[in-house]
Amino acid sequence: MTGDIAQILTSYYSDLLLTERKAKLTAQTYRRCLKLFFAWCEKNTLTLADVTVKDLVFYMASRHGDNRSAHTRAKDLAALRSFGEFLVRKRVWAENFALQLDSPRLGRGLPRVLSENQVNSFLANIALDTPMGVRDRALFELIYSCGLRVSEAAGLLIANVHFDEQILIVRGKGNKERVVPFGDQAKQWLAEWLNAWRSKLTGDRAVPQVFVNYQGRPLSRQGIWFRFQGIEAKSGVFAKVHTLRHSFATHLLSGGADLRSVQELLGHADLSTTQIYTHVTEEQLKQAHKKFFPGHNAAILLCVCVLLLAGCGPSPRSVKRMQMLEEGVRNPDSIEELKAGIQQYQKRVEDIMMAQSQIGIWYKMLISRYLDSQMFGEAYEACQQAIKYYPANQNLYYSLGLSSGYLAKSIVEYRSSGELAQKYDYLKTAENAYLRAIELDDRYFRALYAVSVLYVFELDEPEKAVPHLEKAVTIEKRNTDALFLLARAYYMTYDFDKAAVLYDTIMDITTLPEKKAEAEANKKIVLDAAYGG
């Protein structure tokens, strides 16, 4: 690729992100498509200014000749049309020639789906004798268990994994969030990956993504595809990563899940997108009928199903008695009524528990929105409500501490004793919330650091900060913010030698000139205080 073409492509990519406000993945896809187009132009000794409609037709025909699918060619054309608009604005093209090309006809084929046995066989062929193997098992268990897109799995954050509730907060297309539960198998492998193996790869680095590569960096989509291909060859189950998502949706519908629920779990904006999976299950039904009833009409199977459903319904007498039970007119009497009554009220209890869990999840998301919008009073109230649903969730207590601290900081002037008392109350609420979070998880770095900030800068109790910070810097050894704060706490408690040693440590590990300079200046202050300057 020549320098001019590379410069134009870079400018176009920036325009997509900043002007057109396209998603990063869309911009990357278009850029990749255009690199193929530029290679074709170079092969045919064409410059961008010389390209005509006929050339674009020839290029698209060459893509068809390469046995590219209609969906791939549609993506190529979308990239060309977008790039054409850019070239018109830059006055390289007089008009957008790509608009004159017809879009490839996209047949709505049924998505390929793996059977449950095939999924199990694929997962069972992942070698578990290395950190990468455990990671892959957790990764693909989660993609199947939650119906994740590849980009969603790659971008999944540790902060959005909630083990107690067995849910993920997934950021999908259009930056939209959704809540997805995960199963016991996925929980088991995810816990093993996070607790036993992940830190061996990341070392002391703070990497927010759940899945990392052998270098301890976030695992890319390409990395996921590459790993899938290796397991695919070993297991003999040939598919695509996205096939696991298709299988998740189809297996849910086959198991009796309703379409709206599956739509929510998949993060589809339009129900019609989800409906394609109903066609899969219908197709499976037809194939099963053909296998067992060759030459007969599918209506036979439908009739059998209707007769079976009609035959297994409750009798009119039973219905009447259950109605009386529902209305509380009389107590159940027979074995059948007692069993039915227990089952009925168990279902009500399950519904109430599910509703409580969902309310708690929504409160968590609401708190995050409030904090992002600096609506600290609203976040404070929402935290207190959410804790009623999740009284043992350390993240909620951390958020309560955060919102309480910000509310305290908003009270700047002490014009009355009442205002001073209110500020102190907020600070003590923050302190208690952070300490409760640490009690629930004694390696919760953010809470350890936050309560220490409170002790050092707000409550003037640096001696209380020291043990929390000493614990924090064993968790994130290269976190210079925590090291600076601990050095300050040592200085405030007259432990000058330890403070000086910490400033030396900061100067050794940081690569930022301003932080080196700050550490050096602070060390001089400490030594002057210790030995006289």
Side-chain angles (χ1 to χ4, degrees), residues 94-158:
E95 59 178 300
N96 189 352
F97 303 123
L99 294 176
Q100 299 183 40
L101 273 62
D102 292 331
S103 299
R105 182 169 297 180
L106 300 177
R108 187 155 188 175
L110 297 178
R112 190 183 166 209
V113 173
L114 300 176
S115 68
E116 291 184 42
N117 287 337
Q118 286 176 310
V119 172
N120 291 334
S121 175
F122 175 85
L123 295 173
N125 274 278
I126 299 174
L128 301 173
D129 54 350
T130 65
M132 299 292 94
V134 176
R135 180 207 63 192
D136 291 344
R137 184 63 187 262
L139 170 67
F140 294 117
E141 282 277 6
L142 210 61
I143 289 176
Y144 172 63
S145 178
C146 301
L148 301 182
R149 300 178 177 95
V150 178
S151 57
E152 293 169 349
L156 182 64
L157 303 179
I158 293 176

Side-chain angles (χ1 to χ4, degrees), residues 117-330:
N117 287 337
Q118 286 176 310
V119 172
N120 291 334
S121 175
F122 175 85
L123 295 173
N125 274 278
I126 299 174
L128 301 173
D129 54 350
T130 65
M132 299 292 94
V134 176
R135 180 207 63 192
D136 291 344
R137 184 63 187 262
L139 170 67
F140 294 117
E141 282 277 6
L142 210 61
I143 289 176
Y144 172 63
S145 178
C146 301
L148 301 182
R149 300 178 177 95
V150 178
S151 57
E152 293 169 349
L156 182 64
L157 303 179
I158 293 176
N160 289 338
V161 179
H162 300 277
F163 276 101
D164 292 342
E165 301 84 13
Q166 284 188 225
I167 60 163
L168 307 177
I169 298 177
V170 178
R171 194 174 294 275
K173 285 186 176 179
N175 218 24
K176 293 178 182 176
E177 284 186 348
R178 68 182 189 278
V179 176
V180 185
F182 56 89
D184 291 337
Q185 282 276 72
K187 180 180 180 180
Q188 173 194 333
W189 290 107
L190 190 58
E192 182 169 346
W193 159 244
L194 290 175
N195 297 332
W197 297 100
R198 185 178 178 276
S199 60
K200 296 181 186 300
L201 301 175
T202 58
D204 297 333
R205 283 175 296 183
V207 182
Q209 286 81 4
V210 171
F211 298 108
V212 298
N213 62 18
Y214 71 98
Q215 295 175 315
R217 298 194 177 103
L219 185 63
S220 65
R221 292 179 302 147
Q222 292 78 8
I224 295 175
W225 290 327
F226 178 77
R227 296 297 296 177
F228 186 89
Q229 288 170 352
I231 302 163
E232 181 184 50
K234 185 178 177 182
S235 66
V237 178
F238 295 98
K240 296 180 179 178
V241 183
H242 207 68
T243 308
L244 293 175
R245 177 173 158 89
H246 293 323
S247 305
F248 161 81
T250 306
H251 295 167
L252 277 179
L253 288 169
S254 299
D258 65 275
L259 200 59
R260 286 283 183 187
S261 298
V262 176
Q263 178 193 7
E264 288 294 325
L265 292 173
L266 291 174
H268 286 159
D270 193 333
L271 187 63
S272 63
T273 310
T274 316
Q275 283 175 329
I276 187 69
Y277 298 109
T278 64
H279 301 316
V280 175
T281 53
E282 287 168 8
E283 187 64 26
Q284 289 172 339
L285 184 63
K286 290 176 185 176
Q287 293 300 326
H289 180 266
K290 285 181 181 178
K291 180 178 179 181
F292 295 107
F293 300 98
H296 291 74
N297 192 286
I300 297 174
L301 185 60
L302 180 61
C303 291
V304 171
C305 291
V306 170
L307 288 171
L308 285 172
L309 288 170
C312 66
S315 68
R317 183 181 176 187
S318 176
V319 169
K320 185 175 180 180
R321 295 183 73 131
M322 287 310 300
Q323 283 176 337
M324 293 173 71
L325 171 64
E326 177 71 20
E327 293 163 6
V329 176
R330 56 173 292 173

Side-chain angles (χ1 to χ4, degrees), residues 285-517:
L285 184 63
K286 290 176 185 176
Q287 293 300 326
H289 180 266
K290 285 181 181 178
K291 180 178 179 181
F292 295 107
F293 300 98
H296 291 74
N297 192 286
I300 297 174
L301 185 60
L302 180 61
C303 291
V304 171
C305 291
V306 170
L307 288 171
L308 285 172
L309 288 170
C312 66
S315 68
R317 183 181 176 187
S318 176
V319 169
K320 185 175 180 180
R321 295 183 73 131
M322 287 310 300
Q323 283 176 337
M324 293 173 71
L325 171 64
E326 177 71 20
E327 293 163 6
V329 176
R330 56 173 292 173
N331 292 324
D333 182 30
S334 68
I335 291 174
E336 288 75 15
E337 287 175 342
L338 287 164
K339 289 168 64 178
I342 290 169
Q343 186 177 9
Q344 176 186 356
Y345 282 94
Q346 277 182 334
K347 180 66 169 65
R348 288 187 180 182
V349 171
E350 289 170 5
D351 289 343
I352 292 169
M353 291 174 66
M354 178 63 74
Q356 286 181 323
S357 176
Q358 188 63 61
I359 290 170
I361 292 164
W362 285 341
Y363 263 124
K364 287 183 183 180
M365 296 175 69
L366 181 63
I367 291 162
S368 177
R369 301 290 191 280
Y370 279 148
L371 289 173
D372 289 344
S373 303
Q374 298 185 5
M375 300 168 68
F376 303 121
E378 290 83 353
Y380 177 85
E381 296 293 337
C383 284
Q384 292 183 321
Q385 291 298 319
I387 286 169
K388 294 177 183 177
Y389 297 98
Y390 293 116
N393 186 287
Q394 67 270 27
N395 293 315
L396 287 177
Y397 285 101
Y398 172 77
S399 297
L400 177 60
L402 208 60
S403 52
S404 302
Y406 278 119
L407 285 173
K409 286 176 71 68
S410 67
I411 303 173
V412 179
E413 298 181 12
Y414 308 133
R415 295 180 179 175
S416 69
S417 59
E419 287 178 324
L420 178 59
Q422 186 183 21
K423 180 183 176 95
Y424 183 76
D425 286 345
Y426 279 136
L427 290 174
K428 294 305 287 184
T429 300
E431 177 192 13
N432 291 332
Y434 290 139
L435 291 176
R436 176 59 177 153
I438 294 165
E439 182 183 340
L440 291 167
D441 181 359
D442 64 354
R443 292 182 60 81
Y444 192 0
F445 175 85
R446 289 192 299 171
L448 290 165
Y449 181 78
V451 76
S452 301
V453 169
L454 206 64
Y455 285 138
V456 170
F457 293 106
E458 299 291 345
L459 296 175
D460 195 23
E461 297 176 317
E463 69 281 357
K464 290 186 178 180
V466 169
H468 295 300
L469 285 167
E470 287 177 338
K471 180 66 175 288
V473 297
T474 65
I475 298 167
E476 293 193 12
K477 297 181 178 65
R478 301 177 68 86
N479 189 304
T480 53
D481 290 335
L483 291 169
F484 267 115
L485 189 60
L486 179 55
R488 186 185 184 94
Y490 282 147
Y491 172 74
M492 293 173 71
T493 54
Y494 306 105
D495 203 338
F496 301 127
D497 289 339
K498 285 185 178 179
V501 169
L502 269 187
Y503 287 128
D504 283 335
T505 302
I506 293 169
M507 285 187 278
D508 286 340
I509 66 175
T510 187
T511 58
L512 299 174
E514 60 272 19
K515 287 201 173 184
K516 283 183 183 290

